[in-house]
Amino acid sequence: PRPRTFCRVGVASRVAMAPKPAAADVHVKPTLQAVVLADSFATAFKPLTEKTPKALVPLGHVPMLEYTLEWLSSQGVEETYVLACAHAEMIDEYLKSAGWGEGDAGDKETKPGQRRRMTTKCVPSASCVSAGEALRLIDHKHVIRSDFVLVSGDVVTNIDLKDALERHRARRKKEKLAVMTVCLRNVGASVRESRYGDSNLTIAMDAETNKIVHYEEHGSGHSATKLPPTSLDASLFGEVKNIRVRTDLMDCHVDICAPEFLMLFTDNFDYQHIRRDFIVGTLNERELGNTIYGYEISRYDYAARVHNLRSYDAVSRDILNRWTFPYVPDTRVVPVQDPQTFTHTWGNNYLSPDCEVHESAKLTKGCSIGAGTVIGAGTSVSHSVIGKNVIIGQNCVISGAYIFDGACIENESSVTSAILQEAVVVHAYAHVTAGCVLAADVVIGSGFSVKPNTRISLKAQPAIEDDDYDSDDSEQSTSLGLGELELVRDEVLGEHTMEQIAEALAAAKARAGADTSAIWAPTSVGAGGAGYVWAPREESWFRNIAQPKAREPYDCSHEYATEEAKRESAPDSRAVAVAESDSDEQEDVKREGVFQREVAETFLRCVKQGYAQENAVVELQGLKMAENRTFADIARYVLMTIVGLTLPAHGKTSRENVKLYPATAPSGTPELLKRLRERLKEWAPLLSRFLRSEDDQVEALLTLEEFCSEDEVFKGMGGAVCVPSFAKILHMLYDMDVIGEESVLAWAEEKAEADEADKKFLRLAQPFIDWLEEASSEEESSSEDD
């Protein structure tokens, strides 16, 4: 076995061993090579990829892999190695049938205007379970001879790579350990995370050379959890004169790599993932000398990776909106062999001349209809891609849908923001709702409505222990509560032969209402349906095909009305003022709610990870500075979070923090106080440190009232359980020096002037207040006697 010491070496020694050219004046132009990762080693597309490799899933009528290969060919790549793991034989067969075989890169004669085709070879390996293993396999084959392009097989791009290649090669002449150039696209954080479903990404680079010194991705596009602050190694500021931190970049997953890049994967078996392991590991081991550079593509170029269903929808729309030109439906550029013909019409609609759309059917913007497809009378289609030979009945509504070849949608049905794979049947009056994924041959019974975000396949989902879902891109998390989600998964009903299943499926497709309940649950697919519901098993499953909520467009029609019409339609000014005031108050409550959740999530992370108080102060101080708030504002919500930890988790609790809360509510005041005392023993000093002034402590008590009343930001958190214990909680905060005597009395004095309806908690706390006043009087009398 390889000694462990070899896992921490640079490439300098191996570079030194490279043979030198025979003569200095001999210049041999290197063959431009590429490595395509046709497997993302992820499960985000399951169950669509149970029978079809992800790289061959159609995107705008064309397999994803076609976009990548055609782009590489256009960039002058002469040799491409396609790494295929899952369904490798299908990818190999496709490459041969689609004309991506040996190519004509070696031919000397080409016709005028004809692009020289590249040699494409499939490198199958069913044993590889990560990108790292796949790259080690390529290194062992010794086929890469010079700098090469590394790209994922699900990338759609029209980048002109010439400038990036020239810069990489020029850099390599001066710096042999510059092993990688990463292509980056400026899209903005909100677009990257909400539209493409990418993770939050922070990249720090040398402002002069674009050398990457920090690469960090965490969180996800759908998560509302407060992200941890980015920390840079202080020694970097001594090595780099000017560091530029960017949060507006998206990783294109298009890289230019030196041959030594592959050697590093072979030398270090810890490298499984390119981004999380190799890039981060290389940047953390700067003493080895290996460097990585960034290259920001032109704003006129396009690049995006289809790594989950959210990005599948986004890239599909980009293709229809022609951001990916020339890789659009009507140019016949892809696929190379037998491309479909489309007519580009108004609204970026693309219609095959062989499709049949009824004159009363309505096609709005962003639609693509394949050959042989029939759309019935009264049907509405918008922002959808419909494959070949699809039958859509009368009065259907198809919106934001991706319907693959051979599917059938019967009369009066609807499909909204969903994917329907080949040969799916949706019987009449059925509804496929937002976020649904129906794998090949699934049947939805007549009149049945599929629940949002449901995934259904004819193949039953394996149990967790039998499902290998380790991946390069998946964001698995124990916070998903997989044990509970497993209850969603449909079990196989009884034992049936393949012939029985085939007969039942044929009957389900042929007529609505066929009895299939012995095999498939009617509660999942409707009466006469066919398929098994799958349970989500990684975070990326929640970034589905459904469009994120967007702001309503501004209605400017009133600006063109006549002055008289404006005066007639103008509402009463006092009513407008009241409405605007209410709107402002609602917006303030919303902002405060976001801040409260951020404080709670930050504090709960400190509790979960066992932070010492000093470290917790640093975390909370970062939040204070980011939000421009006071320590007292932080402390009020920290205190409410501590009180909340005595109760079961509420609906706003993130999945990762549910286990911090008790499973059951306290049986009474004694148990609640016992739970609270255990928490306050640890965190009372921090609260005392933040709540120093009388005003701050009074504000904390008013916030405690809101928590117990479940007002505003505390709605639905279960604080009403604490109402009978309010006085005891107040007493405990006093005993543990969180709240002072003067603050309690000041709060009581302020509440005494309130309306009767607002004196509820004052009445509950009155015995404790009387005791404080009495004790204070006795103390004064004692001091006078002395």
Side-chain angles (χ1 to χ4, degrees):
R2 182 188 299 273
R4 188 62 178 173
T5 53
F6 286 130
C7 291
R8 297 291 181 219
V9 297
V11 298
S13 58
R14 298 180 70 166
V15 172
M17 296 172 61
K20 296 181 179 180
D25 58 345
V26 176
H27 176 71
V28 179
K29 182 180 179 180
T31 299
L32 182 56
Q33 299 174 292
V35 173
V36 176
L37 295 175
D39 197 323
S40 63
F41 307 99
T43 66
F45 275 70
K46 282 191 174 183
L48 298 178
T49 53
E50 282 297 298
K51 295 182 179 180
T52 304
K54 178 190 170 188
L56 298 186
V57 170
L59 180 73
H61 306 285
V62 178
M64 294 186 199
L65 186 59
E66 277 288 344
Y67 293 97
T68 304
L69 295 177
E70 184 58 34
W71 171 73
L72 288 171
S73 177
S74 72
Q75 297 303 305
V77 174
E78 298 176 77
E79 293 180 7
T80 294
Y81 295 91
V82 180
L83 276 164
C85 299
H87 306 290
E89 68 288 345
M90 295 180 66
I91 291 178
D92 188 26
E93 182 180 347
Y94 176 81
L95 291 174
K96 294 175 181 177
S97 63
W100 293 109
E102 292 300 319
D104 54 14
D107 295 347
K108 295 182 179 180
E109 295 183 4
T110 56
K111 297 179 181 179
Q114 181 185 16
R115 180 183 299 138
R116 295 178 62 187
R117 298 295 303 282
M118 63 185 178
T119 299
T120 307
K121 297 180 180 179
C122 182
V123 182
S125 177
S127 61
C128 292
V129 295
S130 71
E133 292 186 8
L135 292 172
R136 282 187 279 274
L137 174 63
I138 283 288
D139 188 37
H140 292 160
K141 289 185 175 294
H142 304 292
V143 294
I144 299 300
R145 302 178 296 278
S146 60
D147 294 341
F148 66 98
V149 179
L150 175 65
V151 59
S152 179
D154 49 12
V155 166
V156 178
T157 179
N158 57 11
I159 299 173
D160 184 351
L161 211 54
K162 182 180 178 180
D163 182 54
L165 279 167
E166 290 177 351
R167 293 192 184 199
H168 176 84
R169 288 166 174 167
R171 190 183 300 120
R172 288 271 293 160
K173 291 179 180 179
K174 301 177 183 178
E175 187 180 345
K176 289 296 182 183
L177 297 184
V179 295
M180 188 179 191
T181 298
V182 180
C183 290
L184 304 166
R185 177 185 170 200
N186 185 345
V187 296
S190 61
V191 172
R192 178 188 63 220
E193 294 166 28
S194 63
R195 190 167 188 273
Y196 291 98
D198 269 21
S199 299
N200 179 278
L201 178 63
T202 302
I203 297 179
M205 294 185 288
D206 186 325
E208 297 178 0
T209 65
N210 285 336
K211 181 172 74 172
I212 297 176
V213 297
H214 183 83
Y215 184 102
E216 182 179 3
E217 57 180 350
H218 43 63
S220 61
H222 76 283
S223 178
T225 304
K226 178 69 175 180
L227 295 174
T230 295
S231 301
L232 298 180
D233 189 342
S235 63
L236 287 174
F237 296 93
E239 301 172 8
V240 182
K241 183 178 180 181
N242 188 1
I243 294 178
R244 179 173 53 188
V245 179
R246 301 284 297 274
T247 61
D248 58 345
L249 298 174
M250 183 169 73
D251 195 329
C252 301
H253 290 267
V254 175
D255 309 308
I256 304 171
C257 304
E260 292 79 17
F261 168 87
L262 297 174
M263 299 178 187
L264 288 169
F265 272 90
T266 299
D267 288 340
N268 193 329
F269 283 87
D270 292 337
Y271 291 161
Q272 298 297 325
H273 312 134
I274 298 174
R275 264 64 191 170
R276 295 204 304 266
D277 292 342
F278 174 77
I279 292 183
V280 174
T282 299
L283 297 179
N284 289 339
E285 297 177 341
R286 299 193 302 279
E287 65 274 8
L288 299 181
N290 302 313
T291 56
I292 300 172
Y293 286 81
Y295 177 82
E296 187 173 342
I297 67 175
S298 166
R299 64 189 182 93
Y300 300 107
D301 290 340
Y302 177 90
R305 184 183 176 205
V306 184
H307 59 98
N308 56 38
L309 296 184
R310 177 87 297 280
S311 55
Y312 180 90
D313 176 71
V315 175
S316 296
R317 290 171 183 256
D318 291 342
I319 291 172
L320 297 183
N321 289 325
R322 310 183 74 78
W323 291 105
T324 61
F325 189 87
Y327 310 115
V328 293
D330 61 303
T331 58
R332 293 174 57 86
V333 173
V334 287
V336 176
Q337 295 286 92
D338 191 26
Q340 290 192 58
T341 299
F342 289 93
T343 301
H344 180 214
T345 64
W346 177 89
N348 286 331
N349 288 326
Y350 302 85
L351 302 180
S352 168
D354 298 324
C355 72
E356 185 178 325
V357 180
H358 193 275
E359 60 182 8
S360 65
K362 182 180 179 182
L363 299 184
T364 58
K365 296 180 180 180
C367 298
S368 184
I369 315 296
T373 289
V374 177
I375 299 178
T379 289
S380 171
V381 183
S382 63
H383 298 290
S384 298
V385 177
I386 300 175
K388 295 187 292 185
N389 302 315
V390 175
I391 306 299
I392 300 178
Q394 300 177 8
N395 301 320
C396 295
V397 177
I398 311 296
S399 176
Y402 299 90
I403 303 175
F404 295 3
D405 298 352
C408 178
I409 316 295
E410 294 186 356
N411 298 344
E412 306 287 347
S413 298
S414 68
V415 180
T416 305
S417 299
I419 293 182
L420 278 60
Q421 210 170 11
E422 291 86 357
V424 165
V425 174
V426 178
H427 282 298
Y429 304 100
H431 304 283
V432 182
T433 55
C436 289
V437 174
L438 307 185
D441 292 304
V442 164
V443 179
I444 302 301
S446 178
F448 185 76
S449 181
V450 184
K451 294 180 181 179
N453 308 318
T454 300
R455 300 194 183 196
I456 304 176
S457 172
L458 276 189
K459 179 182 177 181
Q461 185 179 22
I464 290 179
E465 59 270 17
D466 300 326
D467 190 14
D468 179 13
Y469 61 102
D470 181 37
S471 71
D472 188 26
D473 301 304
S474 62
E475 297 168 25
Q476 302 150 23
S477 170
T478 55
S479 65
L480 281 175
L482 294 180
E484 296 180 3
L485 290 174
E486 279 298 278
L487 299 176
V488 177
R489 180 174 66 94
D490 281 347
E491 301 283 353
V492 175
L493 304 178
E495 296 183 2
H496 306 277
T497 65
M498 296 299 294
E499 291 76 11
Q500 290 173 328
I501 294 175
E503 290 177 4
L505 179 60
K509 287 188 172 185
R511 66 183 188 279
D515 187 6
T516 60
S517 58
I519 303 177
W520 300 291
T523 55
S524 298
V525 292
Y532 300 99
V533 168
W534 283 41
R537 290 191 181 159
E538 64 173 70
E539 291 289 347
S540 64
W541 284 36
F542 294 95
R543 278 170 277 168
N544 54 42
I545 207 73
Q547 278 278 307
K549 292 182 179 179
R551 290 182 178 179
E552 290 295 326
Y554 174 63
D555 183 5
C556 59
S557 59
H558 68 278
E559 295 181 2
Y560 301 98
T562 62
E563 291 298 324
E564 182 179 356
K566 286 183 182 180
R567 287 193 295 269
E568 290 178 356
S569 61
D572 182 72
S573 59
R574 290 171 295 179
V576 170
V578 172
E580 290 178 350
S581 177
D582 291 343
S583 177
D584 291 343
E585 289 180 5
Q586 292 173 2
E587 191 64 29
D588 290 343
V589 171
K590 185 177 180 181
R591 282 196 295 267
E592 193 66 17
V594 172
F595 175 64
Q596 181 271 328
R597 286 193 295 274
E598 289 177 345
V599 173
E601 292 293 337
T602 302
F603 176 72
L604 290 173
R605 185 170 65 251
C606 296
V607 173
K608 183 178 180 180
Q609 298 181 5
Y611 282 8
Q613 286 201 25
E614 291 303 319
N615 294 333
V617 168
V618 173
E619 288 281 323
L620 295 170
Q621 186 173 19
L623 180 60
K624 165 188 173 293
M625 296 174 65
E627 299 293 336
N628 193 25
R629 303 294 286 262
T630 66
F631 275 128
D633 292 332
I634 299 284
R636 289 189 295 119
Y637 291 133
V638 168
L639 175 58
M640 296 313 109
T641 305
I642 292 173
V643 176
L645 284 171
T646 65
L647 310 172
H650 51 81
K652 298 179 182 178
T653 306
S654 61
R655 286 187 293 271
E656 63 186 25
N657 293 324
V658 168
K659 293 182 179 180
L660 297 176
Y661 291 78
T664 59
S667 57
T669 296
E671 185 177 353
L672 186 148
L673 294 176
K674 180 181 178 182
R675 294 177 182 180
L676 182 59
R677 185 177 291 107
E678 291 175 356
R679 296 290 184 182
L680 285 177
K681 282 180 182 178
E682 181 177 2
W683 297 105
L686 182 144
L687 294 171
S688 301
R689 181 174 178 176
F690 285 177
L691 296 171
R692 293 188 176 182
S693 71
E694 180 181 302
D695 288 342
D696 291 342
Q697 294 178 12
V698 169
E699 283 296 322
L701 293 179
L702 294 172
T703 306
L704 180 60
E705 282 190 69
E706 293 176 0
F707 176 81
C708 294
S709 300
E710 298 191 43
D711 287 342
E712 297 182 342
V713 301
F714 301 111
K715 285 182 179 179
M717 294 189 181
V721 175
C722 300
V723 172
S725 310
F726 181 83
K728 296 291 185 180
I729 294 173
L730 198 59
H731 200 155
M732 182 178 291
L733 295 175
Y734 169 77
D735 287 341
M736 304 190 81
D737 295 325
V738 176
I739 304 294
E741 176 184 340
E742 294 81 5
S743 300
V744 175
L745 296 177
W747 168 77
E749 184 178 349
E750 180 177 327
K751 298 300 294 185
E753 298 177 0
D755 296 335
E756 285 300 319
D758 293 332
K759 293 182 179 180
K760 173 182 177 180
F761 292 98
L762 177 61
R763 289 191 291 269
L764 289 171
Q766 195 61 52
F768 173 60
I769 295 169
D770 293 341
W771 177 81
L772 278 180
E773 291 176 340
E774 184 177 335
S776 178
S777 300
E778 291 178 357
E779 185 176 345
E780 291 177 359
S781 300
S782 176
S783 61
E784 290 176 0
D785 293 341
D786 292 341

